[in-house]
Amino acid sequence: MSILTWSPTDLRTALDGTAPLVVPDDDGYEDARRVEPGGIEHRPAAIVRPTDTAGVVRALRFAREAGAEVAVRSGGHSVFGLGTRDGVLGLDLRGLDSLDLDVSGRTATAGGGVTAGAYTRAAGAHGLATPFGDTGGVGIGGITLGGGVGLLSRARGMTIDNLLGAEIVTADGEVLQVDDEEHPDLFWAVRGGGGNFGVATRLRFALGEISDVVGGTLLAPATPASVAGIVAAADAAPRELTVILMVMTAPPMPMIPAEWHGRLVLMANLCWSGTTSGADAALAPLRDVVTAAGGALVDGVRTGPYAGLFEGGPPSGTAVATGRTFFADGLDESAAAHLLAELESCDAMMRAAQLRVLGGAVADVAPEATAYAHRGARLLGNVAAVAPTASAAAGYTPWVEALADRLRGGREGVYANFALDGGPDTARAAYPGTTWDRLAAVKRAYDPDNVFRGNVNVLPA
């Protein structure tokens, strides 16, 4: 907002002590506005940091009455910074960090600011898990509302397939408990429709039993045959195996042989959640591909607790990324060769393509059952380039768009959680056909004034 039409002082009065408020003159403002990874320099006019639902309610009622634009940060990182913008009233949910585990009932209720890593470690102590992504630093609110694709997706479905219910605060400050029976239209929409409909202050998930998994990282030379071969082997594998593949230039890390620094490699992050006795047979086709490429440069595959795979977050620092997400039906050697040639020729300080093999339990759910409509896609990809500044990163946007278009192979669609922006073209691609129509109707019912527009935005019908 170029001209602020509301006063942070009035906001403080409206909160009446129900939630801490940070404004630009406060000592803690710089820390409060910072998101990971670095380089995102948005400056909200005020940041509310509620510790319970009441604080969220008061903040939203003020925003509606004052005409304040709202941006919601759901606890964790934001690669492209959609959870904050200049001049907005920011809602930072990191204080909503309660986690209640019903071990015997196999359910968990978590605050909207809990991170996936904290949740996974706590549940893992009881031999239980809910599928989230692959990074501990992501907030469960954001990843859940957008879908949730990660290391257990092929075996146990997306995060939204394990969501049993949620507490949603709507734009007018009403608190709703939603599930299959209460407000089922809204429950359908928040399973993939993003933050378009309200603030998720609590989420209730199913917990599944999980013993030790076989997982970790395989690093190998990247060739057209090895990249396409890993994708094909992962696609053909039993559903208990999920593979997330990164194709990139090798960073100068001590674990990587020095002679490979700066050269093209593939990094397969994998998780086998079946019986440990079946792991060798399941992983054999992937290891065969790696052997044919010259052997593993790093072999970090180990047997251990699932929570051990769920560490860390995005890299720190001030670099800025630009990227494009896409779906595809596979990746052949021709497409892999094109990918490697483009990565070799690009001069960005870091450039990479991530390829997540889908299928399995993801595809078991009907496309119309949730607001995530891309159940039939075999591959979810993301092309990214990293530069020192936002302006420099923007210069690589045509490159990432062209490469993503080549790799998608004619399949339409984008994944909302990896979207660079929330504009109309992105939103239509994320929510195609009747999914868009249905979401627009729910938006009209629960947020007719489009208060929640700092997202992959669905306009009210």
Side-chain angles (χ1 to χ4, degrees):
M1 299 171 66
S2 57
I3 299 176
L4 195 62
T5 59
W6 52 276
S7 165
T9 301
D10 292 339
L11 172 58
R12 192 182 301 275
T13 300
L15 291 172
D16 193 25
T18 59
L21 176 66
V22 182
V23 298
D25 291 337
D26 291 341
D27 289 340
Y29 177 78
E30 292 300 319
D31 286 338
R33 76 176 184 87
R34 186 176 298 118
V35 295
E36 294 292 342
I40 298 168
E41 294 298 326
H42 299 312
R43 303 188 67 84
I47 302 171
V48 180
R49 310 186 78 171
T51 57
D52 57 20
T53 301
V56 176
V57 169
R58 283 183 176 267
L60 288 178
R61 286 178 176 169
F62 172 86
R64 188 174 184 87
E65 293 172 3
E69 187 175 354
V70 175
V72 182
R73 178 177 180 176
S74 295
H77 64 256
S78 178
V79 174
F80 299 125
L82 292 186
T84 181
R85 288 186 309 286
D86 291 332
V88 300
L89 189 165
L91 268 178
D92 182 347
L93 303 186
R94 282 177 287 180
L96 302 180
D97 58 359
S98 64
L99 177 59
D100 298 315
L101 300 174
D102 180 354
V103 175
S104 60
R106 296 294 189 266
T107 64
T109 302
V114 173
T115 63
Y119 181 114
T120 301
R121 288 189 295 273
H126 302 278
L128 302 170
T130 297
F132 290 114
D134 60 300
T135 304
V138 71
I140 63 167
I143 191 173
T144 301
L145 297 181
V149 177
L151 290 168
L152 288 178
S153 292
R154 281 168 48 86
R156 305 190 181 188
M158 300 173 66
T159 306
I160 53 175
D161 302 328
N162 295 269
L163 183 66
L164 302 175
E167 180 179 82
I168 303 293
V169 183
T170 62
D172 57 4
E174 187 177 4
V175 181
L176 302 179
Q177 308 300 324
V178 306
D179 55 27
D180 279 327
E181 295 184 356
E182 299 291 327
H183 307 284
D185 56 339
L186 182 56
F187 186 51
W188 173 87
V190 299
R191 285 177 289 167
N196 275 287
F197 311 97
V199 178
T201 48
R202 290 195 303 168
L203 302 107
R204 186 164 59 91
F205 297 99
L207 289 166
E209 295 186 13
I210 193 163
S211 56
D212 281 354
V213 300
V214 178
T217 299
L218 276 176
L219 192 79
T223 67
S226 67
V227 173
I230 290 290
V231 171
D235 184 59
R239 64 174 53 200
E240 291 84 3
L241 180 63
T242 295
V243 177
I244 300 173
L245 180 65
M246 288 285 289
V247 186
M248 61 186 183
T249 51
M253 300 175 66
M255 68 183 70
I256 301 174
E259 63 270 22
W260 277 91
H261 292 178
R263 297 171 64 182
L264 289 173
V265 296
L266 62 83
M267 183 174 69
N269 191 17
L270 56 90
C271 176
W272 166 259
S273 58
T275 61
T276 54
S277 61
D280 286 345
L283 298 182
L286 279 79
R287 292 194 176 278
D288 289 345
V289 172
V290 169
T291 299
L297 304 173
V298 175
D299 188 342
V301 179
R302 301 287 185 271
T303 301
Y306 171 65
L309 302 180
F310 238 75
E311 299 300 330
S316 59
T318 58
V320 184
T322 183
R324 281 295 182 272
T325 175
F326 63 92
F327 290 102
D329 293 321
L331 187 87
D332 59 21
E333 286 197 30
S334 175
H338 180 81
L339 166 61
L340 295 178
E342 288 296 309
L343 292 175
E344 192 72 67
S345 64
C346 181
D347 63 357
M349 60 185 289
M350 180 179 177
R351 59 274 191 197
Q354 185 186 79
L355 306 169
R356 296 174 180 244
V357 178
L358 304 176
V362 175
D364 289 345
V365 179
E368 66 274 9
T370 66
Y372 174 85
H374 308 284
R375 298 286 181 171
R378 306 298 298 181
L379 196 68
L380 166 60
N382 195 48
V383 177
V386 177
T389 65
S391 59
Y396 292 104
T397 299
W399 177 82
V400 299
E401 289 178 338
L403 181 52
D405 283 342
R406 170 67 176 83
L407 297 178
R408 74 173 68 249
R411 187 179 185 98
E412 297 299 324
V414 303
Y415 177 45
N417 275 351
F418 289 166
L420 177 66
D421 63 68
D425 292 341
T426 299
R428 283 285 190 171
Y431 308 119
T434 56
T435 299
W436 174 271
D437 297 336
R438 191 171 172 185
L439 284 173
V442 177
K443 181 77 168 180
R444 181 183 60 205
Y446 293 95
D447 184 18
D449 297 325
N450 201 19
V451 171
F452 299 111
R453 56 186 180 272
N455 44 49
V456 179
N457 192 227
V458 175
L459 298 175

